[in-house]
Each structure stands twice: as C-alpha cells, then as structure tokens.
Amino acid sequence: MQAIKVALFEDNKHLRESLSILISGTPGFQLTGAYPDCDELLYQLNKELPDVVLMDIEMPGMRGTEAVKLIKKDFPEVQVLMQTVFQDDENIFQSICAGASGYILKTTSPAQYLEAIRDVHQGGSPMSPFIARRVVSLFAQNVSVPSLHNYQLTPKEKEVLSLMVQGKSIKMIADASDISYETVRTHVKNIYSKLHVNCNTEAVSKAMREKIV
Amino acid sequence: MQAIKVALFEDNKHLRESLSILISGTPGFQLTGAYPDCDELLYQLNKELPDVVLMDIEMPGMRGTEAVKLIKKDFPEVQVLMQTVFQDDENIFQSICAGASGYILKTTSPAQYLEAIRDVHQGGSPMSPFIARRVVSLFAQNVSVPSLHNYQLTPKEKEVLSLMVQGKSIKMIADASDISYETVRTHVKNIYSKLHVNCNTEAVSKAMREKIV
DNA sequence: TTCCTCTTCCCCCGATTGCGGTATTTCATC
DNA sequence: GATGAAATACCGCAATCGGGGGAAGAGGAA
C-alpha cells in the first residue's frame, strides 16, 4: 500500500518537530514537509503534492482557515485536517466553510492523530464527539428546509423568480431573457399569485427562505 | 456514578434482544425499556424518563425521524442516538434536523455502541468518520456565510431592513415602527447606500444571503 | 376537435419606489 | 460649547410596480 503523504503546517517548533517525527517514523505515512507558516503554501504543495495537509488554525501571518481556502481552490483533492487548541463555534464554522474535512484538538494522542490522518485520507471526517456536537447544532440552526410546499411554478416562472432574487428589475429581466417587458410582468403576476404574495420583496424573501429557486 | 438510562426502539426482534442484553448487562448502563415500535412513545418515555434514546430510523408505523421530533419537543433534554443500516444524505439530514445528536450504523461493534451511548450522554455527537463527512459536506453546501463585510448599519436601519426582508412596504414599516413614512424612506435610502444596492429586492436578497438581519 | 396550460404580448391607472435635495432634534463625545 | 452621528421629517419628480383587464399562438391531453 502506498504511504499517505502528509504536509504539516504548525508554527510551534516543539509540536512541529514532535509531529514530524511521529509521521515520518510511522510505516504507512510519509512527511512531504513541515512548515512554520503559510508564506509559500502553494509553492510548497506544488513541489510535492501531499494527500493530507495537517493545518494549525492559529498561525502567524495567514490564518489557517484562509490557507485552507487557497489549498482547496488550487488542489481540491487534497484533504485538510485542522488542528487547534480552541473549539469555539467560530473556528469550527470557518474551517468547515473553508473546506476542511476534519477538525481535531491538539490534546489528541499520537495514535489518534495518525488515525485521524488515515480517516481523512479515506474520505472520512474525523472529529471529536464534542466538536461533532457543535457541528450538528450549528447545522440544525443554519439549514433551511427546501420547499415543503410545491407552488407549481412553471419553468419560465422559476427563471424569472431566480432573476428577481438576484435583484434584477422587470426591465432587466426582460432584457436578459430576451422577452418583452409585458411578458415578464405577466410571469411576475402569476408568481405572486402562486406564492400568495403581493410584492417583489415578499416574493424574493419567500423564494430564498424556502429555497424555491 | 449514576447508570445511564437507555430506552431502545428497534423493530428487529433479534437486534432488539441483543442490544437489550448488551445494555442491561453492562455496568454503568440501565435499560428502561425496549420497544418494537413508537406507538406509545411518549407514554413509555413518561413512565421512566431515559437519558438516552437509541432509535432505529427504519420502523413500521411512525418513522424514526418523526419520533425524534416528538421526543425533542416534549423531552428536549433526552439525547437521541440514531441507528440505521443506511447512510444516505436524506436520512442523515432528516435526523439532524429532527434533533438527533448522534448517528451510528448497525454494523457498529457492541463496544462502540456502548461508547456512542456514553458519548451522547456526555454531550457529544458520535458518528462514523464517513457520516461526519456527509454532515460536513451538507453543511458546507447549505450554510451561508454571515456578513464578512460590516456595512455599519445603525440599529434603526437594521430594524427597517429586517422589516423589508419580511416583505413589508415602506408604509407598513412606518406604521409598525411608529415613525413617519418619510423617515422610513430616509432610512431605506441610507441602507441602499451602505449596502451598495439600488432597489428593494437587491437589498432583501443581500441581507438574507449575508445574514445581515 | 376541443380543452387546457404555458408562453407570449398589450393597455390603463393608481400606488409605490428611487433619487435628488434640505432641515431639525437628540445625544454622546471631545 | 462644539462636533458629529443618528434619528426624525418634508418636498418634488421621474420611473417602476401592482392589479385589473384582454388576447393570441403553440402544444399536449381528453
């Protein structure tokens, strides 16, 4: 089996060296590099593309979450495992939105570190039960339920509605869709009637809330 | 230490009995009941309130996710651990939205079952790395980033904007806020200027997307 | 063929909005 | 006491929107 190639970003010298020894010294793992900051992030990844990046959230210069965004933009197949001493909502939230797959604490044991690296590499998202709880709870708060109702909008009406959501005026929609102003107005009237609203803001708000478009 | 009280809902007789023996036979765990369906769900919970409910998603009669909603509505402090053979997005999504804390597969080993029960009871959300990945990925798709920008809206402007998002017209906002029509118009103008938009739908759309209100 | 839906287009008219101003009062800060 | 931000309020005017009609072609279903 091919060894899992790991790149390490960690500003703390002691931890960086400990992890380096752990990773390079364990069969099945290969360290492609250990860096104290993200200054030459993309260059370093290009040099030898790792399977997994182990990223500290708190670092001098570029924040870990910013670095993740860059990585996922240029190397979407690279799996990123965040490590941190904090487990506040903001950090978890930012990391996940940036594209990180796993999120572990620095208090994690060496064996669990390796296990977590293996997990992300195999397509999992290792995280402590506590962090998982935060994610689940953030999730339940943020997710909106897509359209329980079916408002029976026709394809053209959906198209018009989605342009309305983008903030376009009737005139702009007419231009964009290459149909006449009056036709757009007719569609809009029908949309209002089907959504049971009577102005543009209500329609936009309802469309976004219920993810109709 | 107090034993963790567990109620079990599982229609498969064999699995139900195996889990019953496992739970009641392990020190630190106490089985308050094992039921093949959710017909008398609330009655059964009332009889002896468990700390943790182990719920099968696939059951005759009431679906597991529906049952979870009922449980969390009447007994919000009860922790629910879902168990299933499926790990599709829809089931995961429904369970989390219903209020379940953990989500494990029936292929989980007895020791891990007990560990997961312990985890949910201690405020964690045990889930396999694969399921965690699905949650993270669903999350990243659904969550919108709350205002990276700070548009410096004043409290009154935020109030007006939130009423606009609710679909209210300027006249309605004036009535609701008990200020004059012209004042609301002034606020709206300032909001447009700060958000860099120039019509009501754009403002509403931006406000919702960036969770400004 | 007839019926129905979807899409297209048009008119009228009152209400509302967007944009340009100006102006006063309050209130905290300097 | 001066300054500035926030909230309040008003006017005018062009443009857009919302609601009310009517109408006609294309295409599928009964």
Side-chain angles (χ1 to χ4, degrees):
Chain A
M1 191 190 108
Q2 196 77 23
I4 302 173
K5 288 187 284 184
V6 182
L8 171 61
F9 293 84
E10 166 62 59
D11 64 314
N12 180 284
K13 187 158 180 281
H14 182 69
L15 182 58
R16 187 172 68 249
E17 288 173 357
S18 306
L19 286 172
S20 296
I21 294 168
L22 174 69
I23 294 167
S24 56
T26 307
F29 294 88
Q30 181 195 335
L31 190 69
T32 65
Y35 314 98
D37 56 57
C38 295
D39 291 350
E40 298 179 59
L41 176 71
L42 298 178
Y43 167 75
Q44 285 150 351
L45 291 188
N46 250 320
K47 210 169 50 180
E48 184 167 19
L49 196 64
D51 301 306
V52 175
V53 166
L54 192 54
M55 174 71 67
D56 184 16
I57 283 201
E58 304 85 24
M59 288 216 287
M62 193 189 295
R63 282 189 53 73
T65 50
E66 289 305 310
V68 176
K69 279 184 199 162
L70 284 180
I71 296 173
K72 296 303 278 192
K73 182 165 165 284
D74 283 14
F75 309 97
E77 73 286 3
V78 172
Q79 299 298 317
V80 182
L81 181 57
M82 305 303 285
Q83 52 167 341
T84 177
V85 286
F86 303 112
Q87 45 186 334
D88 56 287
D89 284 3
E90 192 53 28
N91 271 320
I92 297 172
F93 189 91
Q94 290 294 337
S95 299
I96 291 175
C97 289
S101 295
Y103 192 107
I104 58 174
L105 294 180
K106 289 190 181 175
T107 52
T108 303
S109 73
Q112 286 174 319
Y113 252 101
L114 295 175
E115 183 61 35
I117 293 172
R118 228 181 261 117
D119 275 343
V120 284
H121 183 233
Q122 285 168 5
S125 278
M127 52 180 78
S128 76
F130 176 81
I131 291 174
R133 172 65 67 103
R134 300 306 314 138
V135 173
V136 165
S137 133
L138 282 173
F139 188 75
Q141 282 169 35
N142 272 285
V143 165
S144 52
V145 187
S147 69
L148 305 114
H149 291 257
N150 180 15
Y151 294 102
Q152 310 255 72
L153 295 183
T154 68
K156 205 70 193 175
E157 285 162 359
K158 281 185 186 171
E159 185 189 329
V160 169
L161 182 54
S162 90
L163 289 166
M164 289 177 69
V165 168
Q166 288 166 38
K168 305 244 191 289
S169 69
I170 293 182
K171 195 176 277 184
M172 293 165 80
I173 295 173
D175 288 348
S177 308
D178 205 35
I179 50 181
S180 91
Y181 175 82
E182 285 300 332
T183 305
V184 178
R185 264 171 57 73
T186 305
H187 288 312
V188 170
K189 285 183 223 176
N190 291 332
I191 291 168
Y192 288 1
S193 148
K194 288 182 181 178
L195 295 192
H196 305 297
V197 299
N198 43 45
C199 75
N200 53 7
T201 52
E202 255 186 308
V204 167
S205 160
K206 196 159 194 169
M208 291 186 81
R209 252 202 324 276
E210 307 194 16
K211 292 214 194 305
I212 296 171
V213 287
Chain B
M1 193 191 107
Q2 197 77 23
I4 302 173
K5 288 187 284 185
V6 182
L8 171 60
F9 292 85
E10 166 62 59
D11 63 314
N12 180 285
K13 186 158 179 281
H14 182 69
L15 182 57
R16 187 172 67 251
E17 287 173 358
S18 306
L19 286 172
S20 295
I21 293 168
L22 173 70
I23 293 167
S24 55
T26 306
F29 294 88
Q30 180 195 335
L31 190 70
T32 65
Y35 315 96
D37 56 55
C38 295
D39 291 350
E40 298 180 61
L41 176 71
L42 297 178
Y43 166 74
Q44 285 149 351
L45 291 188
N46 250 321
K47 209 170 51 182
E48 184 166 21
L49 196 64
D51 300 306
V52 175
V53 166
L54 192 53
M55 173 72 67
D56 184 17
I57 283 200
E58 304 84 24
M59 287 216 286
M62 192 188 297
R63 282 189 53 73
T65 50
E66 288 305 310
V68 175
K69 279 185 200 162
L70 284 181
I71 295 173
K72 295 303 280 192
K73 183 164 164 283
D74 282 14
F75 308 98
E77 73 287 3
V78 172
Q79 299 299 316
V80 182
L81 182 56
M82 305 302 285
Q83 53 168 341
T84 176
V85 285
F86 303 112
Q87 46 186 331
D88 57 287
D89 285 2
E90 191 54 29
N91 271 320
I92 298 173
F93 188 90
Q94 290 295 337
S95 299
I96 291 177
C97 289
S101 295
Y103 193 105
I104 59 176
L105 294 179
K106 289 191 181 174
T107 52
T108 302
S109 73
Q112 286 175 318
Y113 251 101
L114 295 175
E115 184 59 35
I117 293 172
R118 229 180 259 118
D119 275 343
V120 285
H121 183 233
Q122 286 168 5
S125 279
M127 54 181 77
S128 76
F130 176 82
I131 291 173
R133 171 66 65 105
R134 300 306 314 140
V135 172
V136 165
S137 139
L138 282 172
F139 189 74
Q141 282 169 35
N142 272 284
V143 164
S144 50
V145 186
S147 68
L148 304 115
H149 290 259
N150 178 15
Y151 294 103
Q152 309 257 68
L153 295 182
T154 68
K156 205 70 194 175
E157 285 162 0
K158 282 185 186 170
E159 184 188 329
V160 169
L161 182 54
S162 90
L163 289 166
M164 288 176 69
V165 168
Q166 288 165 38
K168 303 247 192 288
S169 69
I170 293 183
K171 197 176 276 184
M172 292 166 82
I173 295 173
D175 287 349
S177 307
D178 204 36
I179 51 182
S180 92
Y181 176 81
E182 287 298 334
T183 304
V184 178
R185 277 168 60 83
T186 305
H187 287 309
V188 170
K189 283 186 233 177
N190 292 332
I191 291 168
Y192 287 1
S193 148
K194 288 182 181 177
L195 295 191
H196 305 297
V197 298
N198 43 45
C199 76
N200 52 8
T201 52
E202 256 187 308
V204 167
S205 161
K206 195 160 193 168
M208 292 186 81
R209 252 202 323 276
E210 307 193 16
K211 292 216 194 303
I212 297 172
V213 288

